[in-house]
């Protein structure tokens, strides 16, 4: 075949560099993750989710005034059209929150004042709006499905605190707000992961931001990607139900050639730097709430898998126990991932459109050889 840079792509595009990007730096050998060059550790220790959003969208840290303005804009956008609430009320109460999020985000485009625009400024507005709205959707649907009153947003609160308020109906403790804020920073972006790639492919057709984010949400749902955090906790629940020892349980899974969710990574060959923080958060939150069971299960499983399979815990492993200890339902773990990752997805869509070209790779054909004769129906 002519015009091809490679005739055979590695399975799963492993190691293939598919774009240039100035958003996220990863060194998989050293366990480095940085947004716009700033280490995730510094951001987790010193930044806020709002400031991280600014960094991702505008390419640099904000001044005090710029941060105040973005924080105000994010709070101001805590608004959903009445039809969006009606849509959430009309879906089956047992619908998966991740499916509801995908459908509702798609519907948000009908009410977006910039719906018809696809320029840089309009997409920044959409990024801010979607970040506020996605958190509201995830919290509100949880209330609706439990037949509880939807909670009005509080525009004086941080993104993390407002989300927990709208989810639980009460203002969170400072510890819970801080823990979620850090988790949101840690999940905000991760280079060309599957859902971000999906968002960029969609955006590159000159479709629109809502279509790109809908693609990304559908992609994040899978258990090999964002859905892994829910799968981790299902294991903890199964361990409890069966009264098994956590190590014996995962040993049996491995004997059946099953994968252990929350372990392994395509890019990191050492500890996932996000796991370092989430492990500590899971331990601290467990201790402060007096519920150390999930952390203890996690620690026992991690030690065993590391020693026996040489696999490291990834971002999803300790986020499972962290989110549960924050009182978040298991089927909300992946939607909470999206509450954060919307910042990275939108930053990538904006970057893609700033220097766009249609993303259209080739496939290595392995089918029947050409020309293959057409046999009329009556002759088959
Ligand atoms: C993340 C993941 C999809 C990366 O996949 P990948 O780069 O395609 O890695 P591979 O599937 O080629 O795995 C390499 C080897 O490690 C093993 N492995 C990888 N992750 C494993 C896991 N979680 N449990 C058990 N074995 C695992 C594979 O079986 C394979 O072994 P083999 O060569 O003997 O067949 C994979 O590690 C996985 O399925 N993890 C669990 C799901 C998860 O946590 N996803 C969230 C990622 S942030």
């Amino acid at each position: 075949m002519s015009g091809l840079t490679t005739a055979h792509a590695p399975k799963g595009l492993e190691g293939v560099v598919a774009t240039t990007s100035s958003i996220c730096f990863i060194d998989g050998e050293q366990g480095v993750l940085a947004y716009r060059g700033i280490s995730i550790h510094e951001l987790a220790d010193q930044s806020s989710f709002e400031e991280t959003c600014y960094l991702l969208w505008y390419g640099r840290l904000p001044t005090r005034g710029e941060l105040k303005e973005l924080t105000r804009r994010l709070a101001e956008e805590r608004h959903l059209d009445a039809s969006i609430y009606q849509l959430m009320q009309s879906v089956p109460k047992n619908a998966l929150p991740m499916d509801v999020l995908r459908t509702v985000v798609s519907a948000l485009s009908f009410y977006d004042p910039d719906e018809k625009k696809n320029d840089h400024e309009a997409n920044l507005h959409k990024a801010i709006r979607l970040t506020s709205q996605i958190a509201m959707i995830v919290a509100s649907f949880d209330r609706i499905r439990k037949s509880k009153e939807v909670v009005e947003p509080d525009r004086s609160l941080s993104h993390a605190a407002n989300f927990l308020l709208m989810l639980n109906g009460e203002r969170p403790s400072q510890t819970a707000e801080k823990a979620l804020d850090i988790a949101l920073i840690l999940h905000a972006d991760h280079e060309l992961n599957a859902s971000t790639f999906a968002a960029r492919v969609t955006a590159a057709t000159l479709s629109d931001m809502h279509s790109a984010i809908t693609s990304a949400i559908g992609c994040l749902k899978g258990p090999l990607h964002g859905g892994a955090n829910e799968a981790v906790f299902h294991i903890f629940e199964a361990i409890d139900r069966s009264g098994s020892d956590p190590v014996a349980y995962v040993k049996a899974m491995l004997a059946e050639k099953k994968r252990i969710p929350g372990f392994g990574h395509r890019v990191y060959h050492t500890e996932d730097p996000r796991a370092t923080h989430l492990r500590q958060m899971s331990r601290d939150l467990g201790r402060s709430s007096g519920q150390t069971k999930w952390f203890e299960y996690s620690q026992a499983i991690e030690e065993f898998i590391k020693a026996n399979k040489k696999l490291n815990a990834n971002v999803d492993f300790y986020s499972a126990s962290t989110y549960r200890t924050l009182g978040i339902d298991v089927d909300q773990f992946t939607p909470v991932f999206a509450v954060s990752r919307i910042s990275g997805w939108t930053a990538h869509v904006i970057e893609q459109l700033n220097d766009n070209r249609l993303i259209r790779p080739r496939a290595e054909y392995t089918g029947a050889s050409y020309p293959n004769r057409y046999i009329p129906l009556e002759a088959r």
Side-chain angles (χ1 to χ4, degrees), residues 104-120:
V104 175
V105 165
S106 177
L108 284 176
S109 71
F110 306 140
Y111 311 100
D112 195 291
D114 294 304
E115 189 212 351
K116 300 271 181 301
K117 298 185 200 145
N118 204 17
D119 59 89
H120 184 85

Side-chain angles (χ1 to χ4, degrees), residues 14 223-225 228 254 258-266 272 274 309 311 314-316:
E14 180 169 358
L224 294 187
H225 190 12
L254 290 176
K258 288 187 180 152
R259 287 184 178 221
I260 314 300
F263 287 91
H265 201 274
R266 176 64 68 77
D272 179 335
R274 302 165 297 178
K309 289 288 292 180
L311 288 170
N314 60 44
V315 67
D316 293 307

Side-chain angles (χ1 to χ4, degrees), residues 101-233:
L101 182 64
R102 185 200 57 224
T103 299
V104 175
V105 165
S106 177
L108 284 176
S109 71
F110 306 140
Y111 311 100
D112 195 291
D114 294 304
E115 189 212 351
K116 300 271 181 301
K117 298 185 200 145
N118 204 17
D119 59 89
H120 184 85
E121 274 310 304
N123 281 327
L124 271 172
H125 293 319
K126 289 185 202 180
I128 296 171
R129 212 170 281 135
L130 276 163
T131 301
S132 295
Q133 290 170 327
I134 282 185
M136 290 183 70
I137 292 165
V138 173
S140 300
F141 179 66
D142 198 55
R143 308 274 311 169
I144 290 168
R145 68 176 176 159
K146 291 173 178 163
S147 304
K148 292 181 178 168
E149 285 285 308
V150 168
V151 177
E152 281 297 310
D154 182 336
R155 294 187 174 80
S156 70
L157 295 182
S158 71
H159 192 74
N162 180 64
F163 173 73
L164 289 172
L165 167 79
M166 292 188 69
L167 185 71
N168 298 325
E170 56 187 44
R171 276 176 94 120
S173 67
Q174 274 188 352
T175 315
E177 177 184 357
K178 186 72 193 152
L180 183 66
D181 192 55
I182 294 174
L184 295 179
I185 294 171
L186 296 174
H187 285 82
D189 195 47
H190 209 233
E191 200 219 43
L192 217 54
N193 60 90
S195 56
T196 302
F197 190 49
R200 288 188 79 127
V201 170
T202 305
T205 67
L206 298 184
S207 178
D208 62 275
M209 180 69 93
H210 287 83
S211 301
I213 301 308
T214 306
S215 303
I217 294 172
C219 192
L220 185 72
K221 177 185 169 186
L224 294 187
H225 190 12
N229 54 14
E230 295 182 16
V232 169
F233 207 83

